[in-house]
Amino acid sequence: MIAYQAPLKDLKFVLYDLLHYEQHYQNLSKSSALTRDDMDAIMVEAAKFSQQVIAPLNRVGDEQGCQWHPDGVTTPDGFKEAYQQYVANGWPLLAVPEAYGGQGLPESLSMVVSEMISAACVSWSGYPGLTHGAINTLMKHGTKWQQQTLLPKLVSGQWTGTMCLTEPHCGSDLGQLRTKAVANSNGTYNITGTKTFISCGEHDVAENIVHIVLARIKDAPSGTAGLSLFAIPKILPSQTGELGQRNQVKCGSIEHKMGVHGFVTCEMNFDQAQGYLIGEPNKGLACMFTFMNFARITTAMQGVIHAEIAYQGALPYAKERLSMRSLSGTKNPTGPADPIIVHPDVRRMLMTIKAIAEGSRSLVYFASQHLDIAEYSENTKAKEGAEQLLSLITPICKGFLTELGVEAANLGLQVLGGHGYIRESGMEQNVRDSRISTIYEGTTGIQALDLLGRKVLGSRTKLLQPLLKSLFDYARSLQRHQSMCWCVAPLTEALQIWQSCTATVAESAVGDADEVGAAAHDYLMISGYAMLAYLWARMASVAEHKMADGCLDESFYRAKIHTAQFYFKRILPRIYTHNAALKSGASVLMGLDADDLQLNS
């Protein structure tokens, strides 16, 4: 099994050397007193908790899974106790404003803790993870009573939260939702309907669950314009916030999934359940996006953690496993064979995993930094710029990074060969666990359509142009540094492809709307590879400066530069294939009638 070790060295490189988080926090109104020593202390404690308390649950959760009973769902052995320790240690309070009982620290710092906990056991991490989204939704859109009654228990971790969107007859097409809400004379609503694939909808780790539910009030408009948002507690609170009577909310069944077995996913039945309207009637989807956008960034982090797990499992094995001799001459003359790390194809897989893990980490924390600015900056222009950038890069983070995470997980298994395919290694679990990340919180295809259709073309490229300008400016700045000239041309060309393919799709879509859908996936991947090229260039530049200044850990920075060069030479060229596919247009996808596509039986 993989013995997870928090990658503190790389985290500190990204946070301090690359993104200058210490100065970043000094510029935020909510965290001016947060020092590097504070951040280091939080990371060290989070690493200990993740490694010692959460990581041992990973195998247990996979083997035992969750169990449904008529009166509820039980989680695997140790999950409930670990959650109680998580709450007792105050981890849920980290990034919640002090006005609501939290510690008032930035969202990005909470993301660092989330990475370590998720990597230790992604199944366990879901129980506290969704609660944060429910808290954000109620803070921004809830009534004073909702905030006073529901938030204290959610903030403390005493209660958990869910997000209830999908129904059995529809997936991401929320306009088809049938769940109904009927107003009561006391201002509450009775909600009736069935929700499916609900993460953490029923469990035993906390005493109560607050469901954030989309439903349709009687006589509301059809489609998404008629959706309203409700808070529906499993157990209704009294006026003082204590537990009262059981609400009409039941878990009908749990799903039996490919992976993340310790993370309960279930069907939830609401039978005239009492709920509280969040925000205005028929404005529920806008309120829900507060929850969904945060969830998409945290899901992007799963691309990072599955790549990190793959690397931690594959690298030690490749150094220890002896098989065949090196093509360039014996490297282990006293042994029967050489370690497989000397073989170029094994090195290809290891370097790809490393480039994905470290590159993806830099992009998630780049996005998290802008989450902080959008939330806490007192500079109006900076705040608006961060909001616009996040609008653009959130679908890139969620869609692109999870696809890379699945690739890295598969490569990690491949390095171990047959030993990776069997359960003892933990690598096949990582593959199974990773697969859901490209599906929930909006599939890759939906993220691609959101990026190209809504964010880029929908804004007439106004959201894209400032980002492209800053990336082009950075590429030009590298020309002044001889040691970085190797990446200037490929970075510039990648950005030019991103820019030109935007114009190509905009032009072709005028005559055929299917051109947007046909181009969306390749456009997402082009955008992602270009963003990682920019960040790998920045990481290489930082490493160059560190080595020039006489750093203590020269091998770490040398590996950064080499991995950046590997990315530019071995991974970034994928952008050309995606560009060629994008330019082939919609006809090659849509040319056949649906009836012409048949099973060959």
Side-chain angles (χ1 to χ4, degrees), residues 28 45 55 57 66 102-103 119 123 175 273 285 332 400 417 436 445 454 505:
L28 297 178
E45 289 305 311
L57 302 175
C66 296
Q103 297 178 19
S123 288
L285 197 58
N332 179 31
F400 175 70
I436 187 60
R454 293 183 65 243
V505 179

Side-chain angles (χ1 to χ4, degrees), residues 189-232:
Y189 286 78
N190 286 344
I191 289 86
T192 302
T194 296
K195 299 289 184 177
T196 193
F197 302 140
I198 305 306
S199 299
C200 304
E202 177 61 42
H203 56 74
D204 60 355
V205 306
E207 65 181 21
N208 199 9
I209 303 169
V210 178
H211 303 283
I212 307 297
V213 182
L214 278 177
R216 198 180 301 278
I217 297 173
K218 185 179 179 181
D219 299 325
S222 61
T224 56
L227 298 178
S228 299
L229 193 63
F230 300 88
I232 307 178

